[in-house]
Amino acid sequence: MKRLFLLTLLLLAPAFALEPSWTQLDVNADGAPEHVAITNLADIAFNDSGQIVGWYVKQIKGQNFKGNYAKAPNLIKPGLPLPGTIENFKPASASFERDGDLMIASFTDGENTLKYIINPRKYSLKLEFDSHQPSTLLWSGINRTDQPVTKLLLAGSDKPLPAGSGKATYVAIQSRANKGYAFILTASQPFDAKLEPVAGGAKISVALPAGKNELKVYGGLNELVRLHVEGLYQLPGLFSPNIWGKLSLGLLYIMELAYKYTGNWGLAILLLTVFVRLLLWPLMHQQFKSMAEMNKIKPLMDEINKKYKDDPEKKNEAIMNLYREHNINPAAGCLPMLIQMPILFMMWRVIANYEFDQGFLWIPDLSLPDPYYILPALYVLVMLAQTMMMSKGNKDAMRQGITMNLIFIFLVLKFPAGVTLYWVFSTFIGLFQQWSINKQLANAGAQG
């Protein structure tokens, strides 16, 4: 029994943060091993010529492909020039190393040097090319669609073009307009670029003058929170969020403001939770009050069900009269729950895609699941307490609540710790609100 329990824990175990590392694997089955940078967000494979042959984006942070890249999302488009191709550059040597938190791939032909600097906590990398003569960098993609969205924003403009050339602020290839994946090239100053849609993909050419050139290359989720984190969301015409995206940004800005004053992301999430609960307080008050009153008239409901069990029409009429007599709106208990679910989804979206540079208490990374299961255990406790309080005296409601909570626990095990922290603290506040409402109704009943 003990072994079965341990096996279950292992199967349900959330993803832990991966230790950034270099490894050698034949990711494209060409018979030659590539040099692969393993990170939490994406694995990037280089050949000995300094070209990128695989850019594998992880749909779950900390996901370990374990060398199986055949079905992993790859941004490299077959049949196009490999990203990182530089004309007249054929390196004779290469090195792959760690420098603190950064991972660096360097290639040199003795005179010219190409360097990729990878931050394991970002989808972006910095590309440096130090050359004695002008050259051209080729980039291509994106292997997630046959009709990518292509954008080139010329300096001084706020409307990107689908193709063209000139001094560019950014060049982007997106699998879809506001979804999917993206390659985005930017620099600290406008750079000479040409964008060409070709053969179901796209090709970018960047003119590199003699001397040291630096470009920032983003390869990851085409998602507003992630683009905000990496300083790209503000680029004109790059991303247009819908109403849910705008609301998610609102929550994100409040969380960042709270962090500005607390200096701790865990405390920022708790303050955001308080803010959301205050907004929902009137609606939640109606929900909790309605459920408490429903529990109060439960014996009368049972009598009606028993009395008119063979006459549904009279039973419904008697129940509606009972609601009117006690001034109860049965729908009042459902609306707040329907409103809470989109907020929970938006919180998941914000926290799962955010990059936190610190933990909170025992939690090493708020954007990954709690590795010690403490938050899921607290979730079970507060949800059971809430179910017992809200279904006081109503066995059917208690049984339904417990069943639903048992279903949710499997999701909570995979939730980012920050989302679970929000949900546990929000439920705890709800317990206090429910307790105060129950007490008010009990006092009103005693006085009556």
Side-chain angles (χ1 to χ4, degrees):
M1 191 69 181
K2 184 178 180 181
R3 290 182 179 179
L4 180 61
F5 175 73
L6 291 175
L7 179 60
T8 303
L9 283 182
L10 287 173
L11 291 173
L12 294 174
F16 289 88
L18 291 174
E19 179 66 22
S21 61
W22 287 102
T23 188
Q24 284 189 283
L25 290 168
D26 183 8
V27 299
N28 56 2
D30 64 353
E34 285 75 38
H35 305 271
V36 186
I38 307 292
T39 79
N40 270 325
L41 302 176
D43 292 354
I44 306 174
F46 302 86
N47 61 21
D48 290 328
S49 298
Q51 300 164 316
I52 298 177
V53 300
W55 193 305
Y56 304 97
V57 178
K58 300 185 177 182
Q59 297 174 318
I60 301 174
K61 285 184 180 180
Q63 182 179 3
N64 190 345
F65 291 129
K66 298 180 180 179
N68 183 15
Y69 293 102
K71 296 183 179 180
N74 186 7
L75 302 190
I76 306 303
K77 181 78 173 180
L80 296 180
L82 290 174
T85 299
I86 298 178
E87 69 175 20
N88 301 322
F89 178 66
K90 297 182 179 180
S93 63
S95 65
F96 306 89
E97 55 191 9
R98 286 278 303 274
D99 183 6
D101 292 332
L102 301 177
M103 304 177 69
I104 301 175
S106 298
F107 305 86
T108 181
D109 61 3
E111 293 184 346
N112 310 302
T113 302
L114 171 63
K115 183 181 292 186
Y116 298 92
I117 302 173
I118 303 168
N119 185 334
R121 301 189 72 92
K122 291 187 176 182
Y123 285 116
S124 300
L125 58 75
K126 184 165 69 172
L127 184 153
E128 296 180 354
F129 186 62
D130 198 347
S131 173
H132 292 285
Q133 62 214 8
S135 190
T136 301
L137 166 72
L138 298 181
W139 206 272
S140 65
I142 191 167
N143 189 32
R144 305 303 299 169
T145 177
D146 290 331
Q147 294 181 319
V149 177
T150 56
K151 296 176 181 177
L152 178 142
L153 183 70
L154 296 176
S157 174
D158 60 358
K159 293 183 179 180
L161 303 173
S165 61
K167 287 286 185 180
T169 301
Y170 75 80
V171 188
I173 308 171
Q174 300 167 311
S175 58
R176 297 177 67 182
N178 292 314
K179 295 180 180 179
Y181 303 89
F183 267 139
I184 305 165
L185 276 64
T186 59
S188 58
Q189 299 293 332
F191 55 99
D192 289 309
K194 180 180 181 180
L195 174 62
E196 305 172 81
V198 294
K203 184 173 69 174
I204 299 169
S205 303
V206 179
L208 302 175
K212 188 173 183 179
N213 298 272
E214 291 187 4
L215 286 172
K216 177 181 177 181
V217 181
Y218 177 91
L221 299 177
N222 190 36
E223 194 275 335
L224 81 166
V225 174
R226 196 67 220 186
L227 295 177
H228 170 85
V229 168
E230 308 221 15
L232 299 169
Y233 172 70
Q234 292 76 13
L235 293 175
L238 183 64
F239 194 96
S240 301
N242 57 20
I243 181 63
W244 298 112
K246 292 177 180 178
L247 291 173
S248 297
L249 279 179
L251 293 176
L252 172 61
Y253 292 144
I254 295 170
M255 184 177 73
E256 290 184 329
L257 181 64
Y259 174 76
K260 183 178 179 181
Y261 287 100
T262 64
N264 184 281
W265 285 116
L267 293 177
I269 291 174
L270 294 179
L271 285 178
L272 176 59
T273 306
V274 172
F275 174 79
V276 172
R277 290 300 303 209
L278 288 176
L279 286 180
L280 293 177
W281 190 275
L283 283 173
M284 299 305 296
H285 183 86
Q286 289 300 317
Q287 178 192 16
F288 292 149
K289 184 178 179 181
S290 175
M291 296 191 73
E293 290 173 336
M294 290 286 287
N295 288 332
K296 189 176 179 180
I297 65 170
K298 177 66 167 52
L300 299 177
M301 294 276 289
D302 291 340
E303 289 182 12
I304 291 175
N305 288 326
K306 184 177 181 180
K307 182 176 181 180
Y308 300 108
K309 64 179 181 178
D310 298 324
D311 192 338
E313 186 174 338
K314 285 189 176 181
K315 181 173 70 173
N316 291 334
E317 182 181 352
I319 289 175
M320 296 307 297
N321 289 334
L322 183 64
Y323 287 155
R324 281 193 290 268
E325 180 183 345
H326 291 268
N327 196 27
I328 295 175
N329 179 7
C334 301
L335 180 60
M337 183 61 68
L338 294 176
I339 293 175
Q340 276 196 94
M341 295 313 294
I343 292 177
L344 178 62
F345 170 75
M346 287 187 290
M347 287 295 297
W348 180 88
R349 181 178 183 178
V350 168
I351 294 174
N353 290 302
Y354 206 82
E355 197 64 38
F356 301 98
D357 55 2
Q358 62 181 199
F360 180 63
L361 298 177
W362 68 89
I363 306 167
D365 190 332
L366 288 161
S367 57
L368 290 172
D370 181 353
Y372 306 109
Y373 303 102
I374 296 174
L375 280 176
L378 290 175
Y379 163 83
V380 172
L381 291 176
V382 296
M383 291 302 289
L384 287 177
Q386 184 185 58
T387 300
M388 293 175 65
M389 186 176 292
M390 294 178 69
S391 59
K392 188 176 181 181
N394 189 334
K395 294 182 179 179
D396 292 336
M398 183 179 296
R399 185 164 50 249
Q400 292 173 3
I402 291 175
T403 301
M404 183 173 293
N405 292 335
L406 289 176
I407 294 173
F408 269 103
I409 185 60
F410 291 99
L411 298 177
V412 171
L413 286 169
K414 294 293 184 181
F415 267 17
V419 179
T420 312
L421 179 65
Y422 160 79
W423 195 239
V424 169
F425 190 52
S426 178
T427 306
F428 182 78
I429 295 174
L431 281 174
F432 171 77
Q433 189 175 10
Q434 181 71 70
W435 172 82
S436 64
I437 290 172
N438 288 351
K439 187 175 181 180
Q440 291 173 9
L441 292 176
N443 291 337
Q447 292 173 3

